[in-house]
Amino acid sequence: MPATLDSGPLIHRLPKVELHLHLEGSIEPATLREMARRKGRLGDETEEWIRDREHDGFRYPKFADFLNAFKLLSLLLEAPEDYALATTRLIESLHAENVRYAELTLAAGVVLWKNQSLDAIFEAVKQAADDASARTGVRVAWIFDAIRQFGVDHARTVMRHAARFRNRGVVAFGIGGDEERGPARLFTDVYREARDLGLHLTAHAGEAAGPESVRDAVELLGAERIGHGTSAGRDAAALQSLAERRVPVEVCLTSNVATGVVERIEDHPLRSFLEAGVPVTLSSDDPAMFHTSLEREMNLAAVTFGLSLQEMIQFAENGIRAAFLEKDDRASLLDELARTVAKRQSAIENDSCCLL
Ligand SMILES: [Zn+2]
């Protein structure tokens, strides 16, 4: 029986992990205003950006428009304190949704492009995360992302910074941005070195490019998780490649509609991934830019695709299994999930979720 809008209470109670979440894209207009106030000013540019976000319906006519909006937003982050405040507010919002663990992506490549000190910014976000984690119990790790179209040398620099902070909470290296201008084959050496340095590997792929981009990320780069992977959902060979290697796909439904990757949520190939046996996790990507959240994404998936409560629980479990967690931490989250589900087993079997 499919889940309904009333599935919300169970979805809320599930201990969740969020694996595809950009710090910069999580900054709500209210936080931008708070940032500006702390600095004693609210510049015209900031106010204009905030107003646009509040009024434009959170859609970006072309994928390039979204990349540009992300760049403009990043430029508003002028100091380590801005990044720290964004981190604090993000962890509070994760706590409100019963997210227990998150891997936050920092656009380290953008920080370097802005000529800011990555060390100072990482120290600030790490401290903010430690403080917020102690208050809320939400644990976080970090992924450093490079920008595909900035080229190989840039990506190598970002990756080496990630490796330098590996024992301080950076667990993975990834690439995002323009897949056409920065195809996977350019980055094979960088990914090999990253793996040798002990980093986990992710890649945004199949977002604005075809399924070959996903296959290349998996087969040439050895990506352990794929961000989006959307175009692979319509390609048997790419689906098979993901399924055989058990590479999870981080599905971000609202994001894909907002950036024009799919026209409507119903057009997303989520079902194809499930039918092909690809492990799927759900994520919010840039929640403030797309006006969404993890719980919202889960509810949206349930309602749009008629998924059962059991399938929603499977998403939560997939997230825990796909996380770059130590063995014991993974086991304890899986245990917590199992206990949460067991308490409500009869209701889940009857799908009487409104009673949960
Ligand atoms: Zn992303």
Side-chain angles (χ1 to χ4, degrees):
M1 192 184 284
T4 68
L5 279 174
D6 289 330
S7 310
L10 174 70
I11 287 170
H12 177 73
R13 283 187 178 89
L14 294 175
K16 291 177 283 294
V17 306
E18 167 63 288
L19 302 179
H20 190 125
L21 176 54
H22 298 268
L23 175 65
E24 298 83 351
S26 76
I27 306 172
E28 297 290 345
T31 309
L32 284 175
R33 288 204 170 92
E34 190 181 347
M35 248 173 226
R37 269 200 308 277
R38 286 185 177 195
K39 286 184 268 193
R41 65 189 161 78
L42 185 58
D44 289 348
E45 198 188 345
T46 312
E47 187 52 44
E48 191 184 333
W49 197 94
I50 294 170
R51 268 203 310 272
D52 282 355
R53 292 283 75 67
E54 287 174 334
H55 297 298
D56 73 357
F58 300 93
R59 280 189 85 118
Y60 304 86
K62 293 195 298 291
F63 191 70
D65 296 327
F66 162 70
L67 292 179
N68 200 38
F70 191 90
K71 184 175 102 182
L72 292 177
L73 171 60
S74 299
L75 287 170
L76 298 176
L77 300 170
E78 296 169 334
E81 298 74 43
D82 297 336
Y83 280 89
L85 181 65
T87 304
T88 303
R89 294 289 170 264
L90 173 55
I91 292 175
E92 288 165 352
S93 72
L94 292 171
H95 178 56
E97 295 210 324
N98 200 25
V99 172
R100 311 306 305 276
Y101 169 76
E103 287 168 8
L104 307 180
T105 296
L106 176 70
V110 174
V111 172
L112 297 176
W113 171 75
K114 289 192 291 178
N115 268 325
Q116 289 172 324
S117 162
L118 188 54
D119 282 63
I121 285 168
F122 185 67
E123 289 306 326
V125 296
K126 169 99 176 84
Q127 187 61 54
D130 288 350
D131 292 348
S133 295
R135 271 190 294 119
T136 62
V138 180
R139 293 183 45 219
V140 301
W142 296 89
I143 298 171
F144 277 11
D145 228 15
I147 315 296
R148 282 172 175 265
Q149 65 269 28
F150 285 7
V152 179
D153 291 343
H154 155 88
R156 186 177 291 109
T157 304
V158 170
M159 182 274 292
R160 287 182 178 163
H161 281 294
R164 210 157 49 79
F165 292 121
R166 202 170 70 81
N167 61 359
R168 306 209 55 221
V170 176
V171 289
F173 164 73
I175 49 174
D178 191 329
E179 295 168 66
E180 303 288 356
R181 285 158 64 205
R185 62 184 150 71
L186 299 181
F187 304 102
T188 48
D189 288 346
V190 177
Y191 270 69
R192 191 177 308 118
E193 185 181 338
R195 188 170 43 243
D196 290 345
L197 291 170
L199 289 164
H200 287 289
L201 308 173
T202 68
H204 285 67
E207 200 175 4
E212 66 289 346
S213 178
V214 178
R215 289 225 308 273
D216 287 352
V218 172
E219 294 167 17
L220 300 181
L221 302 182
E224 295 167 75
R225 291 198 314 245
I226 295 293
H228 300 285
T230 315
S231 60
R234 298 186 189 85
D235 182 84
L239 283 171
Q240 194 183 352
S241 184
L242 290 163
E244 276 175 1
R245 291 172 171 79
R246 304 293 300 154
V247 174
V249 169
E250 303 151 357
V251 166
C252 309
L253 296 171
T254 301
S255 163
N256 282 177
V257 175
T259 62
V261 173
V262 295
E263 199 171 329
R264 306 168 310 155
I265 302 271
E266 301 88 293
D267 299 330
H268 191 284
L270 176 64
R271 276 266 176 224
S272 307
F273 286 120
L274 298 178
E275 283 159 15
V278 176
V280 170
T281 67
L282 296 179
S283 274
S284 60
D285 200 7
D286 298 288
M289 298 179 78
F290 305 136
H291 203 46
T292 192
S293 71
L294 179 57
E295 278 191 10
R296 209 178 125 78
E297 292 299 298
M298 292 180 81
N299 278 299
L300 202 57
V303 171
T304 308
F305 298 101
L307 303 177
S308 67
L309 285 176
Q310 204 54 57
E311 285 174 299
M312 303 315 295
I313 293 162
Q314 189 62 52
F315 285 135
E317 182 180 329
N318 290 350
I320 298 170
R321 292 193 187 281
F324 299 136
L325 278 164
E326 296 296 333
K327 208 169 144 212
D328 288 354
D329 294 328
R330 184 192 321 285
S332 98
L333 268 179
L334 285 171
D335 197 48
E336 191 184 337
L337 176 65
R339 278 186 278 117
T340 306
V341 170
K343 261 194 234 164
R344 297 168 178 83
Q345 195 57 50
S346 64
I348 290 166
E349 277 163 17
N350 298 326
D351 216 53
S352 52
C353 43
C354 42
L355 301 176
L356 294 170

